[in-house]
Structure formats: structure tokens, C-alpha cells
Amino acid sequence: MSKTDDVGKAFDFRLFKRIFAHTKPYRGIFWLVALVAILSAAFAIGIPILVKNIINDSLESKDGQQLLTAVMWMLIFLLGQVITQLLFNYYANLLGEAVIRDIRIRLFEKMTSFKMTYFDNSSIGVLVTRAVADMQRIGEIFSQGFFMIVADVLKMISAAIIMIVINWKLALIVFAILPVILIATRLFQQAMKVAFIEVRAQVANLNSFVQERIAGMKIVQLFNREEIEKEKFRVINEKHQNAWLKTVWYNSIFFPVAEISNSIGIGLVVYFGVVQNIENVSLDNKGAIVAFFFLMDLLFRPLRQIADKFNTLQMGMVAANRVFKILDTDSHIADEGSLERKDVKGDIEFKDVRFSYVKDEEVLHGISFQVKAGETVAIVGATGAGKSTIINLLNRFYEIDSGHILVDGIDIKEYTLRSLRSHIAIVLQDVFLFADTIAHNISLRDESITTEQIEDAAKQIGVHEFISSLPGGYQYNVKERGTMLSSGQRQLIAFLRAYVSNPSILILDEATSSVDTYSEQLIQQATDKITEGRTSIIIAHRLATIKKADKIIVMDEGKIIEVGTHKELLKKGGYYNDLYTAQFMAEEVA
Ligand SMILES: Nc1ncnc2c1ncn2[C@@H]1O[C@H](COP(=O)(O)OP(=O)(O)OP(=O)(O)O)[C@@H](O)[C@H]1O
Ligand SMILES: [Mg+2]
């Protein structure tokens, strides 16, 4: 968070209009909130006037009936104030929540359309903050900022006018204190702004520190880092505490000072009104003095708080600005194709494909290969050779720099993204599972996939027994990222996920981590089954998979260096032969 983000600039009306444009679907609520804000101010202002009348007229005249009527009016006004405040609170919050719900949905929708490069370059923490904390701030524009400012300004202006009408000399005396309060408020505000920037920075530090340590707890414990991390955490906590205490300190100074100026005001009114007896206030107009006490409160209190509310408004706008920046970001894969295919055969061709994740750092240097429909092709090569990159390109997670990728002889750019991806299923190297049941992790909540279908598929690829053995079977909740399962088991779930979607093209990025023999067997069996009768590209680390492939593509440093069957490549005695000798010989002997 940069400093310029937070320090208020001149009020940005365009941004303000854009935020308020989101209230359009809620016009009725908007005007209701505006109305009750004004009414609540009116009731607040009415009370001092009633008090003055009660003291001056009703009490003086000793007319019981008149007094009763006056008290009734007082009650009505108090009740009016209570009801309008209640309505204001509820509907202002409702409006805020409705607006941020809409913006949040649009933001999420936008995020899901971004291409992978966007996420490669963004921090998860920051995006989460945009979707959650910043949204809350935007909501506060409505619940605590804008309308309250309007109501407060109304209150202050009317209080000032009524004071002048009742007794302009006393009013002027009261106004003389205003600069003191204004200056104190201004100083307080500036100090708080700086303090809050520090608080927020420390909160962000705390967040990311805790988040990272929890995610990496294994490393912390494994390397006995507990003490060191604790010490680091202590330091961050202390900074956070100090930052907070600073804001508490400013509050502790400001509010007594503000109270004192209120009391000084009361003192001045009493002195000049009663003692000096300006224009005979004291004798025949006691009510005016009491009314002034009330009116002063109506003038000073909002004045003290208005800066705070303006700050809330400003912070909401800063947050909105950040969120709108994401909404305005154009970083999706151009979905300009129009081809929708219900079925594809599954021919794949890469034609001299060049690609770089980061500009000028080419990762794939002219990749060309062909896979015929129904074939199984294994890609092998050293780590970092560019194997996973190839599959990132086939389903257009990234755009290639040059060359062509064809499915069924047609450039993949001509398909709609939805159509293209509907024919390709991928089991990634790191299986990602949602904190949900196994059944939902397989169907991805696609309603058209029934429980029977899932179980049937599981039986076919031979994992039904394993899933049934889990507590709750298919309803077993795997918790965040599937932590309740082993990596081999997660892989099997991912296989099933790919299998039920029944794709024409299957891509499998085998995990490099070794799994136990039993899982290994299950995975092998499942691999055989799901590759059956469809085009399969397997980034293979297992010898069994490689040997069964119709074709092996050997990659090194972003280039294809050999292509052939297991036997052909061994006979050739090149890179593959070396790889085989180094990695798999022992495995085969065993
Ligand atoms: N998202 C990314 N942004 C930038 N560079 C990346 C990204 N992903 C991979 N790379 C780089 O691209 C190159 C190829 O990576 P790739 O993941 O394709 O390797 P791989 O052959 O799958 O390796 P492994 O066998 O370890 O999975 C590597 O040099 C890697 O550093
Ligand atoms: Mg990889």
C-alpha cells in the first residue's frame, strides 16, 4: 500500500459518481436513506426549540394542559429521532451491503477471466484484500460516510441559524469558540491519518507473516525455527502495538480537549447571557439559555466527528479506486474464436511454437510435434525443460509468441475458449482440491454429473474401493487443498475428475513425487483406463507409462531433441538412452 493511496487528494468527483452509479438499482432505498437522514436532523433540531418553549411559555403560564401538549410534542420528536435513526442505520447499511455485494460479484467474475500471467504477477494477499477488506470500506461510504455527513452538515447549519434567530449576540459568542475546535480537530485528524497509515502497514505485516508461517508450518517445525520465528513475530507485534497505542494516545488527548471547549461554551453562554444579561435574556427568556446548551451540542459534536466521517468517506473512495482499477484491467485471453464443436476427434499439432512467460526470456524455442487422435504421447525431459509449459499452452492459459497450435487441424484461437477447454481435461502436477467433499471435488458441482456416474467412473478406473474406505466415502470432506489425503490419493481424485468430464483430449502431468507401491499400482491402472480411446499427452515420470506410449517426445531446454518409441530411442543411444540408464534402469531391474 503506497502512501499516496491513503493521503487524501482533492475530492475526486468522477470516482464519487462512479461509486454512486452502483446505487442505481436501489434508487428507492437511496432516497429513503436520504430522507430519514434529513428527518433525523430535523427532529434533533426541533428538540431545543421545544425545550425553549416549554421553559418560557408552558412553565411560566402554569397551564397544565399546555404543558402536557408541549411534553407530548417533545415525546413525538424524541420518538421521531429514535425511529429515523433506526431506519437510517438499517437502510444505510443495507444500501452499502447491496452495493458492495454487486461490486464484489463483478470483481470475482473479472478475476476469474484473467489470464494466468496476471496471477503470476499478483500477490494473492493483495487480491484477497481487494475482495474483502476494501469492499467493506466501500460499504462504509454509505453506512458511515456520505449520508451522515449530509445529516451532520444540515444539523450544524440549522443549529447555527436557530442560535442566531434566538439571540444573535449569544450566537456570535458561541461561534467564537468554533476556530478552537476546528483547529484542534484538524490537528487531531492529521495526526490520526499518519498513525492509521502506520497501523494499516503493521496489520498487513502481521497478516502476511501469520499467513505464510501457517502455510509453511512444516518447514518452521522441521528446521526448528520456532524460537526464531517467535522472536520475529514478537518484533512485528510490538510495532503493531505501538502503532495502535499512538492512535489511542491521540484520542485520549483530543476528546477531553473537545469536551473542555464544550464546557467553555456553556460557561460563556451563562456568563454573557445570565450575568451580563445581554438583551434581558436571563429574566424573561431562561428557555433560550437552556436551548443554547442543546444547540451548542448539536453544533460542536458533529463538527468534531465530521472529519472522521469525511475520512471514512475518503478511505472508502481510495478502496473503491483500487477495486475499480482491477475492474478496469484488461488482462484476459482474447476469446475471439467463434467455433463451437460438440465433438472433436483429438488430433493435436504444435507448429514451431515459441513462448515466453516473461518478455525476452523465451522458454520454448520452436516446438513442433503431432499427436494423432487416440494416440498416447509421453513427454520426458529434465526438470525445467518446458514440459508443463506445453500443456499450459494447449488450453490457452497463456498466449504463444509465435507459431500455431491446432486441434483437429484448426487453430485453437478459432475455438471459443469454453468449447476448446470443454474437450480437454488436465490432471496437473500439483493436484488442487477444494475444501469440499470428494464427490463435489470430482463433479466440480456440475449438476449434470450424478452420484451414480461418479461411482461408476470410480469403479471403472479402480478407485471406488479406496474412496469407499474413507470415512463418509464420497461425502468425505478433504479440507483445504485436500490436506486430509496423501498426494497419491489426491492424484487419483484428480484422475476421476478428468475421467467423468469425458474429454477427447487428456493431459496428465505426472507428479514427480514418488508414491507408495499400492497407490502407484492404482495410479498406473487408472492411467491405463483413462487414456483408453482418447488422445493423451502424458508428461511422464514413470517408466511404465513411458514404455506404453505410442510415441515419446524428449525435451531439453525448451527444445524437442528426440522423438520415437521406447525401443527406437534406446537403439539410437542418445539423450533418452542416457536418461533411461540414469533414472530407470534400477527401477526396471527391481
Ligand atoms: N509462471 C511462470 N512464470 C515464469 N516462468 C515460468 C513459469 N512457469 C515456468 N516457468 C519457467 O519456464 C521453464 C519451464 O518450466 P516448466 O514448468 O515447463 O518445466 P517442466 O519441464 O514442467 O519441469 P518439471 O519436470 O520440473 O515439472 C522453467 O525455466 C521455469 O522457470
Ligand atoms: Mg512440470
Side-chain angles (χ1 to χ4, degrees), residues 375-380 491 495 506-511 520-531 536-553 564-566 576 580 584 587-588:
E375 263 187 347
T376 297
V377 167
I379 303 179
V380 298
Q491 192 112 101
F495 277 20
L506 178 90
I507 294 165
L508 215 152
D509 201 346
E510 279 186 348
E520 172 81 37
Q521 231 170 9
L522 280 182
I523 288 175
Q524 203 51 57
Q525 190 186 332
T527 308
D528 291 348
K529 185 72 196 173
I530 61 174
T531 55
S536 311
I537 299 179
I538 307 181
I539 296 169
H541 299 283
R542 295 188 176 82
L543 184 63
T545 320
I546 301 170
K547 281 169 81 176
K548 274 184 196 153
D550 297 307
K551 188 157 73 181
I552 300 166
I553 294 173
T565 61
H566 178 66
Y576 180 79
Y580 173 74
F584 297 125
E587 196 180 312
E588 188 145 53

Side-chain angles (χ1 to χ4, degrees), residues 163-176:
M163 281 188 205
I164 293 172
V165 170
I166 292 178
N167 187 314
W168 67 271
K169 283 185 185 165
L170 266 189
L172 286 184
I173 289 163
V174 170
F175 295 165

Side-chain angles (χ1 to χ4, degrees), residues 120 357-358 363 381-389 398 429 509 512 541:
D120 289 347
Y357 288 103
V358 185
V363 174
T383 179
K387 305 180 298 294
S388 298
T389 304
Y398 299 86
Q429 208 164 4
D509 201 346
T512 27
H541 299 283

Side-chain angles (χ1 to χ4, degrees), residues 190-232:
Q190 279 166 346
M192 283 300 260
K193 197 174 254 175
V194 176
F196 263 125
I197 289 174
E198 177 66 13
V199 167
R200 270 201 296 281
Q202 292 309 332
V203 168
N205 273 347
L206 265 182
N207 272 343
S208 56
F209 188 90
V210 173
Q211 201 179 344
E212 215 182 17
R213 298 316 119 144
I214 290 174
M217 191 54 79
K218 276 196 181 134
I219 305 297
V220 172
Q221 296 184 352
L222 202 57
F223 290 89
N224 289 321
R225 302 276 303 179
E226 290 95 331
E227 279 305 314
I228 299 170
E229 296 300 332
K230 197 170 108 187
E231 179 54 27
K232 274 200 223 157

Side-chain angles (χ1 to χ4, degrees), residues 113-157:
S113 80
F114 284 151
K115 57 183 169 192
M116 288 303 140
T117 316
Y118 182 87
F119 297 103
D120 289 347
N121 295 311
S122 308
S123 129
I124 294 179
V126 167
L127 292 180
V128 171
T129 306
R130 297 292 168 271
V132 183
D134 280 345
M135 288 296 166
Q136 216 45 52
R137 293 247 170 87
I138 298 176
E140 283 167 7
I141 292 178
F142 300 95
S143 58
Q144 292 170 34
F146 178 70
F147 292 109
M148 286 212 177
I149 292 176
V150 171
D152 280 353
V153 168
L154 277 177
K155 256 188 234 172
M156 289 191 295
I157 292 176

